[in-house]
Amino acid sequence: MTDRPTPSGRVVVTGLGGVTPVGTGVETFWPNILSGVSGVARITLTDPTPYSSQIAAEVKDFDANDWLDKKEARRIDRFIAFAVGASTMALKDSGIELTDELRNEFGVLIGSGIGGLTYLGEQHRRQVEGGPDRVSPFLVPYMIADMASGYTSIVHGLKGPNNCVVTACATGANAIGDAYHIIKRGDAVAMLAGGSEAPINEIGVAAFCAARAMTTSRNDDPEGASRPFDKDRDGFVIGEGAGVLVLEDRDHALARGAKIYGEVVGYGLSGDAYHITQPHPEGDGAIRAMKMAFRNAGITPSQVGYINAHGTSTYYNDKLETAAIKSVYGDHAYKVPISSTKSMTGHPLGAAGAIEAIFCLLAMRDGKIPPTINYTTPDPECDLDYVPNVARDADVEYAASNSFGFGGHNVCLIFKRGS
């Protein structure tokens, strides 16, 4: 192996890949997001009848056979297949040539909040019905969350840093931020980074229903169920999917003439140290994560032209995220467009932050801000500009994305528009 090139200290995004409830691939999901298309419908991946929440944002147009050997596609957990599909799209989009030398400098950091929940549920059923000898020897490797990264690295032959982040709903954003630091310090030239999740099965739906975290009032109106910042919100809609970005040292990207979607300029993370599921009542952790991101980016909040909010459609999250944005952004909080794309994708848990980072980069590229659909009844406690119902044209040089997770994990990413 040759000596590793001197890092530029700057990290850019050169490839995007996504599997979402509103489409697989940028060319499919991005027009749907801008058009306000909802991916929420009655659950089909399991029988929803027993559950208090019977709707979800499922991925409808993904076929694992398109991305994997047919035998493997049939066997592995859905979250691994999503990760491989999204990473393959991102690599193709980047136009990068994977030479033997580069593969040694190319890493993978794709996280999952839960991992192979579907495979675990299926194997548990086999044990109950037929005894321990019926359990597959593949249960452990196809269940553990790090296999999104591990399997992806094997498929593409990437031998650089290989890691996994598990920080609940902040996972995808944490993975991007950590991969950014790996490249910035010179431990890799490029990274596949993001998150993948497939939690829509019997135990996944039952668990979140038991936690009383999901909406139950709109089983007969799935497309109107996810309504972030709206006064009538009553819980999130569970989703699934994957988002993967190619992050690359800027000098390396420029030398090969790569198109650049944007630059990662700020990454902030913090812990609430408060409660296992509820956010801090004063938004303390969210505030500190955002302030850290701005400090690292070397810009002020007034320079941000778009915020992709965590915006889960739960009472406390939306209220406290609004308060945290006001605290950090000051008067600019009332001027900056904010949207929650979870109104369309539902909440893909560990994949959410990565999918939403992709939306930020595309918003800057195209000068178009996604809407928050289902915003019909203003909430006095959520009184900012949430880009209600219709996308908006805007010149955005910097975009910020917030992600918060159970356990008190808080992440803020800041991107600068590419050139």
Side-chain angles (χ1 to χ4, degrees):
M1 188 175 73
T2 60
D3 290 337
R4 182 172 285 122
T6 302
S8 69
R10 298 176 66 178
V11 179
V12 295
V13 181
T14 57
L16 304 176
V19 178
T20 83
V22 293
T24 292
V26 169
E27 68 284 350
T28 301
F29 66 67
W30 183 233
N32 285 336
I33 286 292
L34 292 179
S35 298
V37 173
S38 172
V40 183
R42 186 170 175 82
I43 293 172
T44 65
L45 291 170
T46 187
D47 177 10
T49 306
Y51 305 107
S52 58
S53 184
Q54 300 176 356
I55 58 177
E58 298 175 342
V59 172
K60 302 289 190 181
D61 63 345
F62 180 86
D63 186 346
N65 291 301
D66 294 338
W67 309 98
L68 291 157
D69 171 82
K70 289 185 178 180
K71 181 178 179 181
E72 286 295 279
R74 184 175 63 252
R75 187 164 58 188
I76 66 174
D77 190 89
R78 191 169 168 88
F79 94 103
I80 303 173
F82 284 164
V84 172
S87 66
T88 303
M89 283 182 262
L91 284 169
K92 181 178 179 181
D93 183 45
S94 74
I96 199 164
E97 181 183 357
L98 292 177
T99 63
D100 289 343
E101 181 179 356
L102 181 58
R103 288 180 199 272
N104 290 328
E105 309 292 340
F106 205 131
V108 185
L109 209 170
I110 303 173
S112 181
I114 300 175
L117 196 61
T118 298
Y119 201 84
L120 175 61
E122 292 171 353
Q123 295 303 311
H124 178 258
R125 188 183 307 111
R126 290 178 65 172
Q127 181 188 25
V128 170
E129 294 174 353
D133 290 343
R134 293 292 308 278
V135 173
S136 169
F138 293 101
L139 172 56
V140 171
Y142 289 163
M143 173 190 69
I144 51 182
D146 72 300
M147 201 52 66
S149 281
Y151 204 98
T152 296
S153 73
I154 293 167
V155 168
H156 298 296
L158 304 179
K159 302 176 182 179
N162 192 286
N163 206 346
C164 173
V165 173
V166 182
T167 49
C169 303
T171 294
N174 262 142
I176 293 168
D178 288 355
Y180 155 72
H181 277 305
I182 288 171
I183 297 171
K184 190 173 182 179
R185 67 180 181 242
D187 288 339
V189 169
M191 296 284 293
L192 286 170
S196 185
E197 204 79 86
I200 306 172
N201 57 27
E202 293 92 336
I203 191 65
V205 177
F208 281 107
C209 285
R212 299 182 179 179
M214 297 197 295
T215 178
T216 59
S217 67
R218 293 180 181 267
N219 287 327
D220 59 349
D221 177 28
E223 293 184 357
S226 183
R227 39 199 324 108
F229 304 107
D230 186 89
K231 190 175 187 297
D232 296 328
R233 67 193 184 276
D234 74 321
F236 76 86
V237 174
I238 194 169
E240 63 175 354
V244 176
L245 291 67
V246 174
L247 303 187
E248 192 173 347
D249 180 85
R250 183 174 180 269
D251 285 352
H252 187 270
L254 292 174
R256 68 180 186 87
K259 70 176 179 299
I260 294 175
Y261 286 99
E263 181 175 354
V264 185
V265 294
Y267 173 41
L269 64 167
S270 70
D272 279 350
Y274 172 71
H275 191 274
I276 59 173
T277 59
Q278 292 183 14
H280 190 281
E282 296 176 357
D284 172 71
I287 290 169
R288 287 186 290 108
M290 284 187 265
K291 286 183 175 180
M292 181 188 294
F294 280 112
R295 184 168 66 248
N296 292 341
I299 66 169
T300 64
S302 63
Q303 292 175 264
V304 169
Y306 169 55
I307 300 172
N308 188 292
H310 188 55
T312 58
S313 188
T314 60
Y315 172 74
Y316 285 109
N317 175 90
D318 295 1
K319 170 186 172 181
L320 295 174
E321 184 173 11
T322 295
I325 290 171
K326 290 178 183 179
S327 176
V328 174
Y329 284 75
D331 291 342
H332 189 59
Y334 293 91
K335 302 173 186 176
V336 61
I338 304 164
S339 65
S340 172
T341 45
K342 290 184 180 73
S343 59
M344 294 168 278
T345 66
H347 192 351
L349 308 181
I355 292 171
E356 289 155 12
I358 292 172
F359 295 159
C360 286
L361 291 156
L362 294 172
M364 291 190 294
R365 182 195 70 178
D366 294 345
K368 293 185 179 297
I369 295 175
T372 303
I373 68 168
N374 300 322
Y375 186 86
T376 57
T377 307
D379 182 344
E381 294 184 298
C382 299
D383 57 349
L384 301 179
D385 176 7
Y386 304 111
V387 193
N389 303 309
V390 179
R392 182 182 304 170
D393 293 336
D395 182 29
V396 179
E397 184 178 6
Y398 292 95
S401 184
N402 292 334
S403 297
F404 313 129
F406 282 0
H409 303 285
N410 307 286
V411 178
C412 177
L413 295 170
I414 301 176
F415 300 96
K416 182 180 181 181
R417 185 172 58 205
S419 56

